Amino acid sequence: MLTFRMIKSLTQCLRGYRSSGLRVGFVPTMGFLHAGHRALIDESVARCDITVVSIFVNPTQFGPNEDLDRYPRALEADHELCRKAGVSMIFMPDAGEIYPPGFQTHVEPGPVAEPLCGAVRPGHFRGVATVVTKLFAIVQPDVAFFGQKDFQQCAVIRQMVRDLNLPVEIVTVPTVREPDGLALSSRNSYLDPADRVRARCLSQGLLAAQVAYGEGEQDSQRLLAIARSLMNEVDQLQYLELRDARTLEAVQGLVEQPAALCVAATIGPTRLIDNVLLIPPPTALSDRELELVSHVMGRQATAGAQGSPPL
Ligand code: AMP
């Protein structure tokens, strides 16, 4: 496994591999790697000849009062996880390598970046879209892997890849959860033991709504109420919304198209996000909609409720 800090040396090395026809997979991360990141890496290693993992805590996607300065780091453990997983290259530039003096061009996503986290974190997706575009230009991967955990991020990136004709396939990997349902996140390390217990209520609410949907409840207001009723242990519920899984437009009335139930909440000083997909049963979907489901869910092109982990 090779580690690069400079763009030039990484691209030189990758050029050699690409000219021999090897398929390059790319997993962008901010480090402090866990089993969620590992699932993305495993998917890339399985599908590609070369897997590049970037570890870069991107300053432009953090707001002024967010956790950029205290974002957790564990470079040695990250290297170990990557090495064991069969990663070929780690790219870990510093901020000056990505944003040198005089940097002035950004990628501005459209309406898909406006609701949910876009509304709570102004400028966040502009920072994400900009850094992902730059990383795509540097690595030039055939395939890039993103987690469903950051559902709106996946939607923003898919839209950006379509709009800008970026020559990369995007694969979405299902969310990896703790045994009690909590979605793995580097930010879970901020949770003290009491907050960790409270954090369970997010996935419990989402998964309860998903189960109700699987049992035939289609009314969006009732589904939201089911989820909300289990989330009263959070300090601030920033949003709990049902959105069209592709466009992220708000879902009103019945859930008849693939939808995402998305939540963001603070628990103590920690902000957590999570989501589940509500997918109509296969008989209710046209071929076009089934194609959409497979597009939204990456390789997990199945219908019916997504497998629920134990609560
Ligand atoms: P981050 O390091 O938090 O920026 O995440 C890097 C990538 O890992 C993103 O595509 C995330 O969506 C993905 N990821 C983070 N947590 C999980 C999880 N629990 N399950 C699956 N993917 C995840």
Side-chain angles (χ1 to χ4, degrees):
M1 187 175 75
L2 301 169
T3 300
F4 297 91
R5 290 179 179 275
M6 309 307 286
I7 295 169
K8 202 170 169 192
S9 38
L10 173 75
T11 51
Q12 261 169 8
C13 183
L14 277 168
R15 205 170 299 133
Y17 286 117
R18 223 176 286 108
S19 63
S20 352
L22 296 180
R23 188 170 163 81
V24 178
F26 178 44
V27 180
T29 82
M30 297 204 297
F32 207 71
L33 303 180
H34 50 64
H37 299 108
R38 174 71 194 248
L40 273 58
I41 293 170
D42 288 347
E43 195 67 35
S44 176
V45 169
R47 289 177 179 228
C48 302
D49 303 305
I50 298 289
T51 290
V52 182
V53 171
S54 63
I55 297 177
F56 179 59
V57 182
N58 174 38
T60 66
Q61 70 190 67
F62 287 78
N65 298 316
E66 294 184 351
D67 57 345
L68 173 62
D69 293 338
R70 65 185 183 110
Y71 196 82
R73 288 169 167 82
L75 283 179
E76 260 182 45
D78 289 352
H79 271 77
E80 193 55 16
L81 184 147
C82 288
R83 200 183 50 73
K84 282 191 181 144
V87 168
S88 324
M89 300 176 195
I90 295 181
F91 178 46
M92 35 180 298
D94 65 22
E97 181 71 358
I98 298 295
Y99 301 111
F103 178 87
Q104 54 178 263
T105 305
H106 292 84
V107 178
E108 190 71 62
V112 71
E114 282 167 13
L116 307 174
C117 287
V120 182
R121 305 181 70 186
H124 170 67
F125 287 116
R126 179 185 201 246
V128 169
T130 301
V131 79
V132 170
T133 304
K134 283 179 66 81
L135 291 168
F136 282 176
I138 293 164
V139 177
Q140 296 179 34
D142 296 286
V143 198
F145 298 83
F146 294 86
Q148 187 203 314
K149 154 87 171 26
D150 297 274
F151 190 77
Q152 188 175 18
Q153 173 169 280
C154 292
V156 167
I157 286 164
R158 283 183 185 281
Q159 183 71 45
M160 177 182 89
V161 163
R162 272 199 300 278
D163 289 347
L164 302 183
N165 304 98
L166 303 180
V168 55
E169 179 192 345
I170 302 299
V171 171
T172 305
V173 177
T175 303
V176 177
R177 298 178 180 279
E178 298 281 6
D180 69 356
L182 178 68
L184 293 187
S185 164
S186 305
R187 290 188 169 99
N188 292 353
S189 63
Y190 300 151
L191 296 167
D192 68 22
D195 288 346
R196 170 65 185 81
V197 172
R198 290 200 289 148
R200 278 194 317 212
C201 74
L202 292 179
S203 56
Q204 285 173 339
L206 295 179
L207 295 166
Q210 194 183 48
V211 167
Y213 182 74
E215 289 169 352
E217 179 58 82
Q218 281 190 298
D219 183 87
S220 53
Q221 290 310 315
R222 282 204 287 270
L223 289 164
L224 287 166
I226 290 167
R228 200 177 299 112
S229 69
L230 290 168
M231 293 184 181
N232 41 23
E233 287 185 66
V234 306
D235 291 314
Q236 191 204 355
L237 194 57
Q238 291 187 335
Y239 62 73
L240 173 67
E241 294 186 36
L242 259 170
R243 294 268 164 179
D244 181 279
R246 189 171 63 93
T247 63
L248 294 198
E249 282 164 14
V251 175
Q252 256 117 33
L254 297 183
V255 180
E256 292 174 318
Q257 307 288 331
L261 178 57
C262 304
V263 68
T266 59
I267 295 176
T270 311
R271 178 178 184 274
L272 298 177
I273 60 171
D274 197 356
N275 68 84
V276 291
L277 291 175
L278 305 183
I279 309 292
T283 47
L285 290 177
S286 67
D287 287 350
R288 170 72 192 99
E289 286 159 353
L290 274 170
E291 199 183 304
L292 166 65
V293 173
S294 79
H295 171 81
V296 169
M297 299 187 67
R299 99 200 137 85
Q300 208 194 27
T302 54
Q306 187 192 4
S308 309
L311 283 172

